[in-house]
């Protein structure tokens, strides 16, 4: 398994890499040499001007652009830990994360700095460095012009903390997943079990910097490929994405299933088969067979790969989709367990189940998360046999005689909405914070063609005006995929004979058109 932190590989570039583009964007290209210089320049500024030391936390809240990439590499090259925040996300949520992490420094734009400062107490607001985007990725030049770049990087261990990625939490608070340098290296370093990323490949990066999928940023340094940074504005329009892929010669697409569905429905793929595209990787909630048939017909040159994993443990299983896809196929399996992990299926008592029985997917391996930020009890609850390199996923599956895992539901309330992990408990916590809401329950509801949205029921005697107030509250405090599309007001919840809420009956009410 890889032991060397990815950032250290930029210090000794292979022959022929220096002037090749590591990243491309609408604003221009960034060569490997420029990436290295930007990394060392920002690392030098952090160490000599900002006084940042190894092990300290640096929060970034920036759009996905060439400056942000150099800043991330610079933070890691200092031996510091980067904490990416959703750019232009709900300020209340961002402030909650900042209060939890207490970063040494916040790197953001002037507009976001003002919005966050207005939400936080002056004592809680971290020192802030403003970085504005510029054409060609030269926005860092004024900052770095007065400081000598770092000549090298400090000793960084493979198990040292590299990043804290925040997802939804079952307590109603965002949950920080701590990932080591080893986790990044294993994710992007060849050889891969099914396919490799090589120097001739061109990736397209859709995910925002605050998602673990943004670790794709490290592929160029690991393999010599070029990654196109799709801006937040470009990513909003599937037809624009297809134009970029066609012009840039994208060879590998990696995204959530929902992003792939939008590409099929609104990307205008008919008549544009993207002949350079050789592989399509997708993760997340199930993709309907109708959409998959449509995509495979529109992209005849591409191989399709369905992956299963989590922020805490990347790529637990993978399934090369057969071509042609069987007409009678109703769902894809999770796939064959990855050799990166030792996988077992366990019952509620932690005992391994026999083949064919349902069990919780549990993995042991070197790329598993270090733990949850500030929550040792949750970390311990997710371990297998008290091993620090293990993770209980909360997903249930069966292992067939064909060696394939097939999904059988989730243990808790975490669901996938538009490819993002959403905890229904966080949504309920926000809704319950309204004074007129006596109780509430949130559900993931299928609304046709395998699309999923959040709906909620609120126990209240308030008038119709409450729904607008609740939706505004959700806009302020929840990321877009977690905001209920419909909020049903009820005077009483249906109850079981035990007096508990009949959630099955309640979900039926919420799911009605």
């Amino acid at each position: 398994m890889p032991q060397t932190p990815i950032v250290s590989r930029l210090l000794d570039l292979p022959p022929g890499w220096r002037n090749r583009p590591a990243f491309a964007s609408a604003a221009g290209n960034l060569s490997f040499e420029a990436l290295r210089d930007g990394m060392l320049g920002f690392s030098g500024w952090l160490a000599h001007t900002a006084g940042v030391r190894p092990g300290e936390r640096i929060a970034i809240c920036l759009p996905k652009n060439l400056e942000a990439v150099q800043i991330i590499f610079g933070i890691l090259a200092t031996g510091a830990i980067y904490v990416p925040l959703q750019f232009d996300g709900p300020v209340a949520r961002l402030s909650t994360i900042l209060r939890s992490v207490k970063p040494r420094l916040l790197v953001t734009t002037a507009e976001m700095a003002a919005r966050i400062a207005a939400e936080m107490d002056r004592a809680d607001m971290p020192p802030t460095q403003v970085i504005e985007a510029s054409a060609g990725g030269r926005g860092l030049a004024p900052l770095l012009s007065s400081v000598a770049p770092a000549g090298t990087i400090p000793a960084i261990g493979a198990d040292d903390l590299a990043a804290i990625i925040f997802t939804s939490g079952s307590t109603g608070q965002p949950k920080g997943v701590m990932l080591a340098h080893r986790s990044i290296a294993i994710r992007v370093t060849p050889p891969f079990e099914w396919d490799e990323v090589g120097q001739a490949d061109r990736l397209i990066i859709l995910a925002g910097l605050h998602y673990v999928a943004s670790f794709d940023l490290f592929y160029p340094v690991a393999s010599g490929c070029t990654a196109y940074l799709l801006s937040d504005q470009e990513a909003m329009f599937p037809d624009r994405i297809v134009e970029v892929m066609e012009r840039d010669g994208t060879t590998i697409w990696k995204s959530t299933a929902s992003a792939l569905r939008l590409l099929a429905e609104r990307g205008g793929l008919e008549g544009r088969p993207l002949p350079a595209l050789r592989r399509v990787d997708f993760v997340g909630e199930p993709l309907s067979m109708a959409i998959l048939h449509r995509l495979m017909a529109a992209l005849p040159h591409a191989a399709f790969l369905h992956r299963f994993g989590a922020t805490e443990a990347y790529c637990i299983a993978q399934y090369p989709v057969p071509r042609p896809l069987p007409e009678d196929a109703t769902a894809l399996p999770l796939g064959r367990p990855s050799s990166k992990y030792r996988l077992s299926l366990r019952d509620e008592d932690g005992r391994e189940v026999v083949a064919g029985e349902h069990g919780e997917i549990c993995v042991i391996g070197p790329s598993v998360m270090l733990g949850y930020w500030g929550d040792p009890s949750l970390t311990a609850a997710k371990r297998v046999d008290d091993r620090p390199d293990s993770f209980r996923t909360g997903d249930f599956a069966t292992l067939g005689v064909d060696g394939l895992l097939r999904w059988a539901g989730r243990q808790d309330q975490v669901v996938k909405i538009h490819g993002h992990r959403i905890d229904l408990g966080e949504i309920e916590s926000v809704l319950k914070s309204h004074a007129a809401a006596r109780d509430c329950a949130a559900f993931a509801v299928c609304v046709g063609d395998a699309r999923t949205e959040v709906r909620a029921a609120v126990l209240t005697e308030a008038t119709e005006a409450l729904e607008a107030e609740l939706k505004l509250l959700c806009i302020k405090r929840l990321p877009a995929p977690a905001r209920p599309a419909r909020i049903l007001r009820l005077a009483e919840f249906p109850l079981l004979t035990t007096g508990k809420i009949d959630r099955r009956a309640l979900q039926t009410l919420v799911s009605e058109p």
Side-chain angles (χ1 to χ4, degrees):
M1 292 294 184
Q3 300 293 321
T4 305
I6 286 292
V7 291
S8 66
R9 304 184 190 191
L10 276 174
L11 298 180
D12 187 21
L13 291 171
W17 281 33
R18 295 172 65 92
N19 296 318
R20 292 180 55 241
F23 294 95
S25 73
N29 293 340
L30 185 71
S31 69
F32 281 94
E33 183 175 35
L35 174 61
R36 181 197 64 194
D37 293 346
M39 175 188 78
L40 293 176
F42 193 69
S43 177
W45 181 87
L46 285 173
H48 303 309
T49 303
V52 172
R53 296 292 178 260
E56 293 186 315
R57 298 172 296 281
I58 310 296
I60 63 169
C61 187
L62 294 169
K64 186 173 60 204
N65 55 35
L66 300 176
E67 284 87 359
V69 172
Q70 296 171 78
I71 287 167
I72 290 172
F73 274 82
I75 292 170
L76 293 176
T78 310
I81 303 147
Y82 86 97
V83 185
L85 307 179
Q86 181 183 5
F87 182 71
D88 209 24
V91 179
R93 181 182 174 86
L94 304 183
S95 301
T96 296
I97 294 172
L98 289 172
R99 292 188 185 99
S100 171
V101 171
K102 294 179 173 56
R104 175 70 173 76
L105 183 71
L106 167 64
V107 184
T108 188
T109 64
E111 180 183 0
M112 284 304 301
R115 288 178 57 195
I116 293 171
E119 178 73 20
M120 299 186 70
D121 295 334
R122 181 171 298 181
D124 290 334
M125 183 68 184
T128 302
Q129 176 63 45
V130 169
I131 300 288
E132 299 293 355
S134 69
R138 293 183 290 272
L140 282 173
L143 183 71
L144 305 183
S145 60
S146 60
V147 63
T152 184
I153 66 175
I156 301 172
D159 291 320
D160 288 349
L161 181 56
I164 306 174
I165 307 293
F166 276 84
T167 65
S168 293
S170 58
T171 62
Q173 299 297 319
K175 179 175 60 179
V177 180
M178 299 187 293
L179 297 165
H181 285 270
R182 184 196 303 273
S183 296
I184 296 176
I186 291 175
R187 178 181 179 119
V188 300
T189 303
F192 298 97
E193 296 166 70
W194 188 74
D195 202 358
E196 294 186 6
V197 178
Q199 293 188 34
D201 280 312
R202 298 185 72 88
L203 279 64
I204 186 165
I205 298 180
L206 290 85
L209 298 178
H210 59 296
Y211 292 122
V212 74
S214 66
F215 279 10
D216 289 354
L217 292 169
F218 300 106
Y219 270 114
V221 179
S223 64
C225 70
T226 299
Y228 186 96
L229 297 177
L230 201 69
S231 71
D232 298 332
Q233 292 73 29
E234 288 175 315
M236 294 173 61
F237 303 100
D239 56 342
R240 172 62 176 153
I241 297 174
V242 172
E243 290 176 7
V244 170
M245 294 172 67
E246 190 171 48
R247 184 187 68 243
D248 198 59
T250 300
T251 63
I252 297 176
W253 165 283
K254 296 166 66 69
S255 79
T256 62
S258 58
L260 192 57
R261 176 182 57 79
L262 288 175
L263 197 73
E265 294 175 341
R266 305 178 192 174
L269 287 173
E270 290 75 9
R272 303 170 75 175
L274 304 177
L277 188 65
R278 68 178 184 86
R279 199 175 96 211
V280 175
D281 291 10
F282 60 100
V283 298
E285 69 275 8
L287 188 67
S288 75
M289 292 298 100
I291 292 294
L292 192 53
H293 276 291
R294 182 174 172 180
L295 282 163
M296 296 182 81
L299 302 171
H301 308 288
F304 284 69
L305 182 66
H306 179 219
R307 294 186 186 271
F308 165 76
T311 302
E312 295 89 341
Y314 171 73
C315 195
I316 293 170
Q318 52 193 11
Y319 179 69
V321 182
R323 187 188 280 275
L325 189 67
E327 292 294 333
D328 59 350
T330 58
L332 294 179
L334 297 181
R336 198 170 300 280
S338 169
S339 64
K340 300 182 193 302
Y341 303 99
R342 180 158 63 84
L343 182 145
S344 62
L345 301 181
R346 307 221 175 184
D347 62 19
E348 60 184 11
D349 296 320
R351 294 173 299 200
E352 293 192 36
V353 302
V354 299
E357 290 189 356
H358 291 184
E360 184 183 3
I361 301 172
C362 300
V363 294
I364 296 172
S367 66
V368 167
M369 67 165 182
L370 296 177
Y372 295 107
W373 173 257
D375 200 337
S377 61
L378 179 60
T379 299
K382 286 292 187 177
R383 296 307 190 194
V384 181
D385 299 332
D386 297 325
R387 292 187 55 135
D389 59 348
S390 64
F391 176 59
R392 302 177 66 102
T393 66
D395 287 280
F396 280 75
T398 59
L399 184 62
V401 294
D402 55 4
L404 296 177
L405 284 171
R406 288 175 172 81
W407 193 66
R410 276 203 62 83
Q411 180 187 46
D412 52 25
Q413 287 186 288
V414 176
V415 296
K416 291 282 183 75
I417 305 290
H418 304 310
H420 308 312
R421 283 184 60 178
I422 302 297
D423 196 302
L424 298 175
E426 182 180 15
I427 301 166
E428 293 173 355
S429 176
V430 170
L431 292 172
K432 288 178 183 177
S433 69
H434 194 286
R438 290 161 38 213
D439 203 350
C440 70
F443 302 92
V445 176
C446 184
V447 290
D449 197 28
R451 287 193 304 111
T452 304
E453 66 182 23
V454 172
R455 293 184 181 180
V458 176
L459 196 61
T460 181
E461 285 79 33
T463 63
E464 292 182 359
L466 177 64
E467 183 173 350
E469 294 177 15
L470 290 173
K471 286 189 174 182
L472 181 59
L473 183 64
C474 291
I475 288 173
K476 290 180 177 179
R477 294 181 54 185
L478 293 171
R483 298 167 191 165
R486 179 186 176 193
I487 299 176
L488 181 67
R489 292 175 294 108
L490 295 174
E492 297 293 341
F493 284 160
L495 300 177
L496 298 169
T497 55
T498 59
K500 295 181 179 179
I501 296 174
D502 187 344
R503 295 186 67 91
R504 180 173 296 180
L506 189 55
Q507 182 164 14
T508 300
L509 287 174
V510 172
S511 301
E512 291 175 353

